[in-house]
Amino acid sequence: MTSMPSTAFVRRVLVAPSGFKESLDAEQVARAIGAGVRRAVPGVRVRTVPIADGGEGTARTLAAATGGSIVNRTVTGPVGDPVDSHWARLGGSSEGRAVVEMAAAAGLRLVPQDRRDPTLTTTRGVGELIAAALDTGVTSVVVGCGDSGTSDGGLGALQALGVRVLDASGEEVGQGGAELSRVDRLDLSGLHPALASGKAQVVLALNPHNVLTGPRGVARVFGPQKGATPEQVEQLAAGFDNWARVLERDCIDTAQGTDFAQGVGTGASGGLGAGLAAVGASLVPRFEALLDSGLAGIDLDKSIRGADLVITAEGAIDFQTPRGKVPAEVARRASDQGVPVIGLAGTLGQGSDAVHGIGIDAVASILPVPMSLSEAVRDGEDLLIAATERFMRTLMLGASIAEARLVGDDW
């Protein structure tokens, strides 16, 4: 763990947060934290570096960072109804590349509470967004995997990209994870030409810890979160076992040899990773794909190097945070350079104290009093500004006391 600043004056603060799901995107969070810092420490230099994690807000964050644009499109939503969605056409040095945010077409927020059945929900809209981007001639599509509401193994996405998914009678299967056990083979003859020819590349930015099958497979780990009953969890798990076998046999030539069952990231977004890998997509850890690739034109390590203090944030800090979440990645990089880190969150959940072991020196919730989720979402920006100001004033007071004690006297 790094030591907190020893002087009463922090001159340079780096703000590198994720978004707060269904409340504030990463840019809004960064601006609010920056405003709170300036209230507490007038004259401080604040640099904001919003971090895309592949989930909600990723497309807009990367479009803004590169001077690109958002392309609106109506696609098939996760329960089969049309939804207003979008993809990002990047600019600057990333011109010619696109970003598809799977949450914008098949995210959990798009699945009504009374229709959360992962045996039925579909990723077809994700495939429709990828196809729409490819149709414009882009050479690379980055798919942000996060906040998904589906568990169909990417079945719907493949269907939207021209793949015929057939049962033992040669008939096309329907949609949803319940269909995976019926799949007998893939017909790739209608695959989108940009993928079939290799003229365009698809990269999935994902959590590498998620695998498709087995005890830690996506059905058992995430199925219940998406509304699956214990019986449906077992149904999905059996379907994924069959799906992995079919993908391994019938995948595109360049994907031959892929471990679709237990390979890194195959379980991302309800198995979307495995499905798209079968048509040549690369499965890449999210921060390698979104940060280290230079996609967003951000050099996070350089920004950390010049800071006296780093503030990161996400909607919830808990036991899951060390497993590939934005605050953990920011803290890892800051710790390597000896820069202290503060973590702010909408809520502090079970296991939040574990983050001290990954380089976050202090954490705090932005909620000053108990309140409903709807109130917290509604007032998120004001709460974040006020919480940052409170934390910074406390930090500065502690630093001032420490500095005064160094001077000493005979009292």
Side-chain angles (χ1 to χ4, degrees):
M1 185 183 301
T2 52
S3 59
M4 300 302 284
S6 61
T7 66
F9 186 60
V10 174
R11 297 169 297 167
R12 298 162 299 187
V13 176
L14 174 66
V15 179
S18 177
F20 282 25
K21 308 306 181 187
E22 299 186 52
S23 177
L24 302 170
D25 62 29
E27 292 86 3
Q28 291 170 314
V29 172
R31 285 196 299 269
I33 293 174
V37 171
R38 292 186 180 95
R39 283 187 183 181
V41 192
V44 68
R45 294 174 60 189
V46 178
R47 174 174 293 178
T48 58
V49 180
I51 305 296
D53 66 355
E56 290 180 13
T58 291
R60 296 188 186 280
T61 295
L62 293 177
T66 62
S69 60
I70 292 294
V71 180
N72 296 310
R73 191 173 183 90
T74 300
V75 299
T76 303
V79 298
D81 299 330
V83 296
D84 293 331
S85 189
H86 60 271
W87 59 277
R89 180 185 285 113
L90 302 187
S93 61
S94 293
E95 190 171 354
R97 306 174 77 177
V99 174
V100 167
E101 173 190 315
M102 85 84 59
L108 188 60
R109 69 177 181 83
L110 297 175
V111 185
Q113 286 283 350
D114 60 352
R115 300 180 71 179
R116 292 193 172 178
D117 183 345
T119 67
L120 300 178
T121 49
T122 178
T123 55
R124 177 172 283 273
V126 180
E128 291 170 350
L129 287 180
I130 295 171
L134 292 173
D135 288 344
T136 68
V138 299
T139 57
S140 175
V141 179
V142 176
V143 181
C145 295
D147 305 320
S148 70
T150 54
S151 291
D152 74 346
L155 166 64
L158 290 185
Q159 291 170 323
L161 288 167
V163 178
R164 297 179 71 228
V165 184
L166 307 175
D167 64 16
S169 300
E171 299 295 322
E172 292 196 51
V173 303
Q175 299 193 20
E179 295 289 280
L180 296 176
S181 293
R182 297 182 52 232
V183 176
D184 182 67
R185 62 188 176 90
L186 305 182
D187 177 357
L188 302 180
S189 61
L191 179 63
H192 193 289
L195 298 179
S197 66
K199 291 182 179 179
Q201 177 188 30
V202 175
V203 175
L204 271 65
L206 45 74
N207 188 332
H209 297 287
N210 296 339
V211 298
L212 187 65
T213 67
R216 299 301 299 168
V218 66
R220 294 187 171 90
V221 174
F222 296 106
Q225 296 178 17
K226 298 174 183 180
T229 65
E231 294 77 15
Q232 288 174 326
V233 167
E234 295 309 312
Q235 179 186 18
L236 289 169
F240 286 138
D241 287 339
N242 181 59
W243 187 233
R245 289 190 292 270
V246 173
L247 296 179
E248 182 177 359
R249 186 192 66 214
D250 294 345
C251 64
I252 199 170
D253 288 345
T254 55
Q256 292 291 330
T258 299
D259 181 356
F260 290 98
Q262 290 283 302
V264 168
T266 52
S269 294
L272 178 68
L276 291 181
V279 292
S282 301
L283 309 186
V284 181
R286 66 181 73 177
F287 297 114
E288 181 180 330
L290 300 174
L291 283 177
D292 295 334
S293 67
L295 180 74
I298 294 170
D299 188 336
L300 180 58
D301 293 321
K302 181 178 180 180
S303 295
I304 290 171
R305 195 174 304 122
D308 300 313
L309 175 69
V310 174
I311 303 178
T312 187
E314 69 172 339
I317 289 179
D318 56 25
F319 69 95
Q320 297 185 74
T321 300
R323 292 177 58 85
K325 295 297 187 73
V326 166
E329 182 66 14
V330 171
R332 180 186 68 80
R333 295 173 185 241
S335 181
D336 287 345
Q337 299 190 47
V339 181
V341 179
I342 292 171
L344 300 177
T347 59
L348 298 179
Q350 181 181 4
S352 60
D353 55 344
V355 302
H356 299 310
I358 61 171
I360 298 180
D361 296 276
V363 296
S365 169
I366 69 171
L367 304 182
V369 296
M371 63 179 64
S372 68
L373 177 61
S374 60
E375 290 175 312
V377 169
R378 181 195 65 202
D379 300 332
E381 185 173 5
D382 291 338
L383 290 169
L384 193 50
I385 293 171
T388 304
E389 181 181 2
R390 286 195 303 272
F391 205 110
M392 288 300 297
R393 289 189 183 280
T394 302
L395 176 64
M396 292 301 99
L397 174 62
S400 297
I401 292 172
E403 190 170 51
R405 289 178 63 85
L406 288 175
V407 174
D409 58 29
D410 295 331
W411 184 77

